[in-house]
Amino acid sequence: MSQTNNNSIILFQKNLLEERNFVDKIKAENWLEQLFAWLFCTKEECVDFDLFLQKETQLKTDFELILSQAQVGEKGLVNDFFNSLLEIHTDLASDLQAILNFDPAAKSRSEILLSYPGFFAIFVYRIANKLWEFKIPVLPRILSEYAHSKTGIDIHPAATIGKQFFIDHGTGVVIGETAKIGKNVKIYQGVTLGALSVSKDKANEKRHPTIEDDVIIYANATILGGNTTIGKGAIIGGNVWITETIPAQSLVYHKSEIIVKTKIENNEILDFSI
């Protein structure tokens, strides 16, 4: 037997000893996209109620297959999840309305549904969070990482996020596993709600901050720590680094000096190293 075959046998046997989960990522991602279209009637199945019901049946069938791949055999879970979709839709409708109310660039519901990465990331979070509540393994992370790859927004499915949540632009946003976010919170691109420590022994502790209701967090702010709370109604300016609790109704900003000169006034040679 060739050396190549010997190596293949060893590799195969090693993999047999490892934990395996055979969820088809492509199928799961496609199911998610189809669910979004069905939930918000962005495709032709909403023209006719019979087609709408047919699509629901297909979504349930696909979901049951994905659950079987994830080795979840609990009967009734498919119906439990689909029965929760009306509540999820209500929460998402409040998120969508928050965008319409706050963003002057948002012209219509359809524009948000079809082109806003922040809203899509919130949709995926609310779906993945429900699956996380049902203790379904692997699948919630597959879905959240799909949203991450598509939008640049990384929201752990175990985070707690209230209604009327608005992510503007969104690229680079990170929301950690134990973060808690209240109602009517708005955050901009590059915001991190992270942990002060990544030590594995803290896995069961609250490691990420709490953001209370009506807070605005501007671009590239970093807020760290499980004991850190941003009080109700606070405004957090861009580029700040926060590891301590901020009282309600506070304004926090980073002050830097900007110098503007004409080139004629400035005789210094600027030597930048990039």
Side-chain angles (χ1 to χ4, degrees):
M1 187 175 291
S2 70
Q3 182 65 37
T4 300
N5 287 338
N6 284 336
N7 289 342
S8 298
I9 292 171
I10 293 170
L11 180 61
F12 181 77
Q13 291 174 338
K14 280 179 174 290
N15 283 328
L16 286 179
L17 300 175
E18 300 295 333
E19 178 187 355
R20 294 182 305 282
N21 192 298
F22 296 113
V23 174
D24 185 331
K25 284 184 61 179
I26 302 302
K27 190 171 188 63
E29 292 165 1
N30 181 65
W31 174 82
L32 183 69
E33 292 281 2
Q34 294 298 318
L35 181 65
F36 181 85
W38 178 79
L39 200 61
F40 291 100
C41 289
T42 63
K43 291 188 177 179
E44 69 278 358
E45 53 260 27
C46 289
V47 176
D48 180 270
F49 185 59
D50 288 337
L51 289 176
F52 185 77
L53 292 179
Q54 289 175 23
K55 189 63 180 181
E56 180 182 18
T57 300
Q58 184 60 53
L59 286 166
K60 286 182 175 180
T61 300
D62 291 344
F63 185 50
E64 187 172 14
L65 174 60
I66 292 167
L67 290 181
S68 69
Q69 292 176 342
Q71 301 176 19
V72 176
E74 184 179 341
K75 293 181 179 179
L77 193 54
V78 172
N79 285 333
D80 288 344
F81 172 75
F82 274 81
N83 287 338
S84 73
L85 287 179
L86 184 57
E87 180 183 357
I88 291 173
H89 185 277
T90 299
D91 290 347
L92 287 166
S94 76
D95 301 325
L96 193 153
Q97 190 61 46
I99 297 172
L100 281 172
N101 291 344
F102 188 77
D103 186 359
K107 300 299 189 291
S108 69
R109 177 182 183 275
S110 294
E111 182 181 54
I112 293 168
L113 288 173
L114 298 174
S115 65
Y116 269 55
F119 183 76
F120 184 79
I122 295 167
F123 157 75
V124 176
Y125 157 75
R126 298 209 183 278
I127 296 298
N129 178 252
K130 180 58 66 175
L131 300 177
W132 186 274
E133 289 179 6
F134 285 143
K135 302 186 185 306
I136 295 173
V138 182
L139 182 60
R141 292 306 303 270
I142 289 175
L143 300 185
S144 64
E145 285 306 312
Y146 175 64
H148 185 192
S149 67
K150 184 172 179 177
T151 68
I153 299 167
D154 184 1
I155 307 177
H156 195 287
T160 301
I161 301 177
K163 298 180 181 180
Q164 297 171 290
F165 185 48
F166 175 27
I167 301 175
D168 200 6
H169 305 296
T171 305
V173 165
V174 177
I175 300 174
E177 178 182 12
T178 62
K180 293 186 177 180
I181 299 175
K183 295 183 293 185
N184 194 35
V185 171
K186 304 172 183 68
I187 66 176
Y188 287 76
Q189 68 272 15
V191 167
T192 297
L193 305 181
L196 276 169
S197 170
V198 294
S199 175
K200 192 68 175 179
D201 62 5
K202 299 184 184 301
N204 296 319
E205 299 179 11
K206 187 179 186 303
R207 308 182 306 281
H208 305 89
T210 296
I211 312 298
E212 295 185 346
D213 297 348
D214 305 319
V215 169
I216 301 175
I217 308 174
Y218 284 99
N220 300 312
T222 298
I223 304 172
L224 305 178
N227 294 322
T228 302
T229 297
I230 307 300
K232 182 176 180 180
I235 296 177
I236 308 301
N239 300 304
V240 299
W241 177 281
I242 296 173
T243 58
E244 297 179 355
T245 291
I246 302 299
Q249 305 301 327
S250 296
L251 173 62
V252 181
Y253 60 94
H254 174 74
K255 185 177 181 181
S256 60
E257 185 179 12
I258 304 296
I259 300 173
V260 180
K261 295 181 179 181
T262 68
K263 289 190 287 186
I264 295 174
E265 292 172 341
N266 186 24
N267 293 321
E268 301 174 9
I269 297 175
L270 300 180
D271 184 14
F272 290 111
S273 193
I274 298 176

